[in-house]
Amino acid sequence: MPVVDDDEIATIYFDEDDHDVVGIAARDFADDVERVTGDRPPVSSSLEDSAGPAVVVGTLGDSDVVEACLPGSGINGEGDEDGDRDGDGGEDGDGDGDTLTEKRESFVVTTTDPPISGVDSCVLIVGSDRRGTAYGAYELSERMGVSPWYWWADVPPESRESVVVEAGTYRTGPPDVTYRGIFLNDEDWGIRPWASETFAPEEATDRDGLGPKTYAQIFELLLRLGANTVWPAMHPGTKAFYRYPGNAEVADRYAIVVGTSHCEPMHRNNVDEWEAPHEEWDYETNADRIREYWRTRVEDVSDYENAFTVGMRGIHDSGMPGGDSPDEKVDLLQQVLDDQREILDEAHDRPVDEVPQVFCPYKEVLELYRGGLDVPEDICLLWPNDSHGYMRELPTETERQRAGGSGVYYHLSYWGRPHDYLWLSSVPMGLVEAEMGKAYDAGASEYWVVNVGDIKPTEKEMEYFLDLAWDVEGVRSGSVSTWLERWATREFGESHAEDVAEILAEYYRLSHARKPEHMGWSTVYPNTEPDDPAFSLTHGGDEALRRVEAFERLVDRTEAVSEALPDRRQPAFYQLVLYQVRCGAAMSGKFLHASRSRLYAGQGRSTASRYAELTREAQDRIEAETRYYNEELVDGKWDGMLSDSPRDLSVFDLPGTGRYDPPEGAALGVAVEGRCEPVRADGVQPPTLPTFHAHVDRERFVDVFTRGTEPVEWSATTSEEWIRLSERSGTVDGEHRLWVGIDWEAVPAGRTSGEVTIESPGVRKTVGVEAVAPGDEGRLDDAGADFVEVDGVVAIEAEHYSRATDDSPVTWERSDIPGRVSGATVAVRPSVFPSYDAGNDGHADSDGHADNDDPPSLEYDVVLSTAGTVEVEVQCVPTQALTADRDLRYAVAFGEGERRTVSIDPDGGEHDPEWQRNVLRGAAIGVSTHRVDSPGVQTLRLSALDPGLVVDRIVVYADGKRTTYLGPRETAVDR
C-alpha cells in the first residue's frame, strides 16, 4: 500500500475528537514522510471528499475514522502477540478488532481496502488506547527510516523515492512493564541551562528551568521510544514542573504519565516550592501545614494521568526529619502514608486503591520499610539500585504477591557517594540487561524509571533500557552486540554497524574497569583530593600504558569510522559515539600521564616533563571537545548542554605533575619492568625481570633513558645466547623501551638464569633474567593443564574454564557484562533460584530443605609449582544479594579438598567502605585460603551458591604479590 509512490501521495487521516496525542502523532508521521521522501502528505480530519490512498490513525472506540475503516480490515484478537517492537508481529484473518480494547498500549498496523468512497487503499494504524495509537504511528516512522533520535541526536534518515507498506496485519503490545520512563536529574549544568539559554529562553524569563516547549520535545522522544512516564527535573535552582503554565497540559496532550522522584511526595518539588523555613519541613511538628501543601497540588492535578510518589524524605534527597529513634521514625512515616492516602482519596473520583502510587525505599527509607512500615498492598514498591547499576534489593516472595506490584528506580547517571558519574555515559548495556532482567524475573515489572541525567549523552543506554522494558524476553534473547549492531545500522548505516558495536563494547570494558569520572581515585562527601591511579606503571607489562594504548587504538578506530561516514551523519556520530570515546581516552590519559610524570621525575628521567605536557594536552582536549559540542556542532544547537566539569569536582582539575630539571650533558638511566627504582651501577645485586615461562611466552621490558640534556649512545649484551633483545644498540634521546624475550628452542630445561648488560660511556648496568622451561617430565600438554603458575601466581579469565558441570538445573553462561580485562564474564542462570546450602553441597528448595543436586560449578586445570598455603582471589561483578534475607556466595575447592565459602555481599548501604570500593573499581573481590598438599596439576573448582553471581577473573596467589590494579595478566598455557 503506497504512502508515497511515484506521483501518488497518501492522505493522513485522524479524528479531531480522538485524543490530542493522536493528532500529534499523525502530524509527526507526515513530517517524517517528508524527512524521508521530500514530500509531505496532506493531513485531514475528515473522510469527506477523500480520494486515493490513505493512512488512517486512530484509537479504537474513540475515532469515527477508524470505525469507518474497520469492516474488512483483517483485524481480530488472535495471531502473534509477542510484544516485540522490532518484530513483524503476525498476519491475521478477518475480524472486527474488539479484543484490542482488552490490551493496554497496544496497536495494530494493517493494510486494507476500506468500504469508503474514494479511498482505494488504506494503511490503518489502530491503538487500543491513546498511547497505543501514538506508538503505532511512531513505529511506522521508525520502520520507514526515521530514528527516534532524529532531533535529539541529529540522526538523518536515508532518502527514499517511495514509501510503501507491505500488505498484512502487524500487531505489537502490550509492553511487559506497565510504567516505563525516565527521570531528568542532575540537570544543573546540562539540559536546564541549554533549555533556558539556547532552546527556549523565552520560557525562562523569571527563572531557569524546563518549560512546555522543552518538554514537548522530550515527550515526543519518549513516545518514539515506547515510554510513557517522566519524573521531571527537580534540582535546586530549577523551576518546578508545575510552576510553568502549560507543563501539565503538554504532558496530557502527549499522554505522558507524570510522576516525581523518591524525594518529591505528592507531586511537590520541595526545593522550589516549600516556601517555609527548612526546619518547618518536619511532619512531627508541622503536619497540618505540610498536609495542606500536599492537598493543594493533588487537587490541582487530579484530572491528569499521574503516578503519585508517597512517603517522605528531607527537602532534597536527605533523610526525613523527625523521630528520635528508628521506631519513632517508622511511626511518623506511617502517619505520613495514612494521611497521604486520605488526601488522594478525597481528591479523586475513584477509590484511592485505583490511584497509581509508588513507594520508593531509597537509601535510609529502605531501613524504615524493613523496620515495620505498613505500605498498603495497592502501592507499587519501587526498588532502587545502588545508584551505580547494581540492584540493592528486590521483592521477596511475599512482596511479589502485592496488588500494586513492584518496580525499579535505576541509574545511568548519578550524583552522590562514593563519587558522581555525571559527565560521560558508561554504564554497560550488559549490566543493564542482567540487573533489569533479574528484577523482572523477581517480579519487579510494574514500574521502571531510569535516571538519565540530561538525556545527553545517555541516548543509546536510555533507549536500550526502554527497549528492554517493552519486551524483556525479546531483547535479552539476543546479545547486546546484536542490539548495538541493529541500533548502529539504523543510525549510521549497515556498513559500519559491526565496527560501531565493537567500539562501544571496548568503551564499556575500559569504563567498567574505571569510569572516566573515577580516574582521580577520589571520593565525594567528604571530598578528597585525587590520588595516584592504581593502574601500575611498572608491573604487568606496564598496566597503565596498556590502558592508555587501548584507548588510543579505540580513538583511532572511532575516528576512522567517523571519517568514512558521509558528512550528514557525522554530527550524530560525534554525539552518540565519538565525544564519549575521545573524552574517555583523554580523561584516562590525563591521570595516567600525570602519574607517570611524577614517577619519572623521581627516577631522574628527562622525559618527566613530556608526560606533564601530555597531561595538559589531555585536559585541553577535553575542554576543546566540549566547546565544539556546545558551540560549533550543528551550528550551536546544543550550546550549554554539556559540561566537562559537573559540580566542579577535583577530578576535573588538572592533576599535579612531576618536575625534573636534567643536568647539562649526557647521562644514561635504566629502569626495568617490576621495579619503581632505576637500576644502579654501583655493583649491588642487580634487579631481575619478572620470570619468563615457556608456557606463557611473554616479553618483558627494560627502559633506557636520558638523565641529562644530551642524547646518549648505548649498547646491550646478553650473558646467554637464549636471551633475545629487540635491539642491541642505539642512541636514546629521551627514552626507549627495549624488549627482552627468550629463544625457547635454545634455553635449558628447568629454571635457569642469565643477564642483560646495558652500557654507555662510563656506565654499565646489569639486569637479571630468569626463565622456566619444563623438560619432558614436566610437559603440560600431556597433563592437559590450561593454566600455569608464573612468579607465584596463576591468573584466569573466568570464561576460559576447562569444564562446566551440567547436572544442575542452574547453569553457568557467558554474560554480556564486560570483564575488566578480557571483556567477558560468566554468570549463573536463571537469575532467580533457591540458594544452595554451603554445608552439605546440596540445594535448598523453597522450604529450605536440601536435595541431592550439586551447585553449578566451573573447573579450571592449573599447575602449581610448589605445595603449601595459597590464596584464591575471585573477582566478581559487584552485584548484590537478591533480597535482604539472601546472600551472594561462591565456593572454591582444589580437587577433593575442603570447600571454602565466600560471601561478596556488602553489609551496608552507601556509607559501607566495602560497597564503595566495589563500585569504584567495578569488582567485588573475595579471598579464600587453601592448603595444597603437593605441586603439579590441580583442579580448581568454583561453585555458585546464590543467584546473581557474575564472575570476571580468578587469581591464585602462591607466593606472588598483588602488584596491579586489575590483577596479573592471564597465565594460560600457550598451545
Side-chain angles (χ1 to χ4, degrees), residues 305-329:
E305 191 173 5
N306 302 292
F308 290 91
T309 296
V310 295
M312 187 175 183
R313 298 190 72 214
I315 287 288
H316 179 251
D317 204 2
S318 58
M320 179 188 70
D324 295 329
S325 69
D327 287 344
E328 290 177 357
K329 284 188 174 293

Side-chain angles (χ1 to χ4, degrees), residues 60-391:
L60 200 63
D62 292 309
S63 169
D64 290 341
V65 179
V66 166
E67 296 300 325
C69 296
L70 275 178
S73 67
I75 299 176
N76 64 16
E78 300 175 355
D80 292 337
E81 298 169 6
D82 59 6
D84 182 0
R85 294 181 66 235
D86 293 316
D88 289 333
E91 187 170 337
D92 300 313
D94 295 333
D96 59 12
D98 286 345
T99 57
L100 189 62
T101 59
E102 300 171 6
K103 299 182 176 70
R104 57 176 171 80
E105 299 185 344
S106 302
F107 63 86
V108 173
V109 177
T110 189
T111 54
T112 183
D113 296 324
I116 300 172
S117 176
V119 177
D120 53 29
S121 64
C122 176
V123 177
L124 183 60
I125 304 171
V126 187
S128 63
D129 50 34
R130 60 178 183 161
R131 279 189 291 273
T133 307
Y135 294 146
Y138 290 124
E139 176 74 9
L140 204 56
S141 286
E142 185 174 345
R143 298 289 185 97
M144 188 169 59
V146 178
S147 168
W149 301 99
Y150 80 94
W151 191 87
W152 277 96
D154 303 291
V155 179
E158 287 287 351
S159 296
R160 303 179 187 275
E161 293 183 359
S162 65
V163 171
V164 299
V165 179
E166 292 184 359
T169 298
Y170 309 90
R171 302 178 179 277
T172 299
D176 286 340
V177 177
T178 308
Y179 295 95
R180 314 163 305 282
I182 65 170
F183 178 24
L184 292 167
N185 195 209
D186 314 323
E187 73 282 353
D188 298 40
W189 39 82
I191 199 169
R192 177 164 57 88
W194 167 79
S196 301
E197 300 167 19
T198 300
F199 181 64
E202 69 278 7
E203 294 181 340
T205 54
D206 63 328
R207 188 170 176 185
D208 287 356
L210 277 62
K213 180 180 177 182
T214 302
Y215 273 113
Q217 291 291 155
I218 294 170
F219 296 157
E220 179 192 328
L221 172 67
L222 291 181
L223 291 176
R224 287 180 182 268
L225 295 174
N228 63 8
T229 299
V230 71
W231 284 3
M234 48 71 72
H235 260 201
T238 196
K239 187 174 178 180
F241 181 81
Y242 288 109
R243 288 219 186 191
Y244 274 95
N247 270 1
E249 289 77 9
V250 78
D252 187 56
R253 289 182 63 240
Y254 277 86
I256 296 298
V257 181
V258 180
T260 50
S261 76
H262 54 88
C263 55
E264 298 178 279
M266 308 294 275
H267 276 247
R268 278 292 192 179
N269 181 327
N270 302 320
V271 295
D272 181 34
E273 297 186 296
W274 179 253
E275 297 176 351
H278 276 208
E279 57 268 21
E280 295 185 24
W281 182 255
D282 188 332
Y283 209 73
E284 192 171 33
T285 60
N286 199 21
D288 289 344
R289 185 169 184 177
I290 294 173
R291 273 196 300 269
E292 186 58 31
Y293 168 73
W294 287 336
R295 185 184 304 277
T296 301
R297 174 54 47 74
V298 172
E299 290 175 349
D300 287 345
V301 304
S302 60
D303 290 337
Y304 298 113
E305 191 173 5
N306 302 292
F308 290 91
T309 296
V310 295
M312 187 175 183
R313 298 190 72 214
I315 287 288
H316 179 251
D317 204 2
S318 58
M320 179 188 70
D324 295 329
S325 69
D327 287 344
E328 290 177 357
K329 284 188 174 293
V330 169
D331 291 341
L332 185 60
L333 187 55
Q334 189 68 61
Q335 186 62 52
V336 166
L337 281 177
D338 294 343
D339 291 349
Q340 288 173 336
R341 299 274 286 180
E342 182 178 340
I343 292 170
L344 291 169
D345 191 36
E346 293 172 353
H348 290 86
D349 58 3
R350 60 190 187 276
V352 67
D353 59 7
E354 296 180 11
V355 177
Q357 300 155 67
V358 299
F359 176 80
C360 187
Y362 188 57
K363 295 189 176 181
E364 79 290 337
V365 181
L366 178 61
E367 303 307 318
L368 299 180
Y369 171 68
R370 290 300 184 208
L373 187 71
D374 181 18
V375 179
E377 287 288 307
D378 60 275
I379 296 177
C380 175
L381 296 178
L382 196 65
W383 299 96
N385 71 347
D386 66 352
S387 305
H388 289 259
Y390 311 97
M391 292 307 304

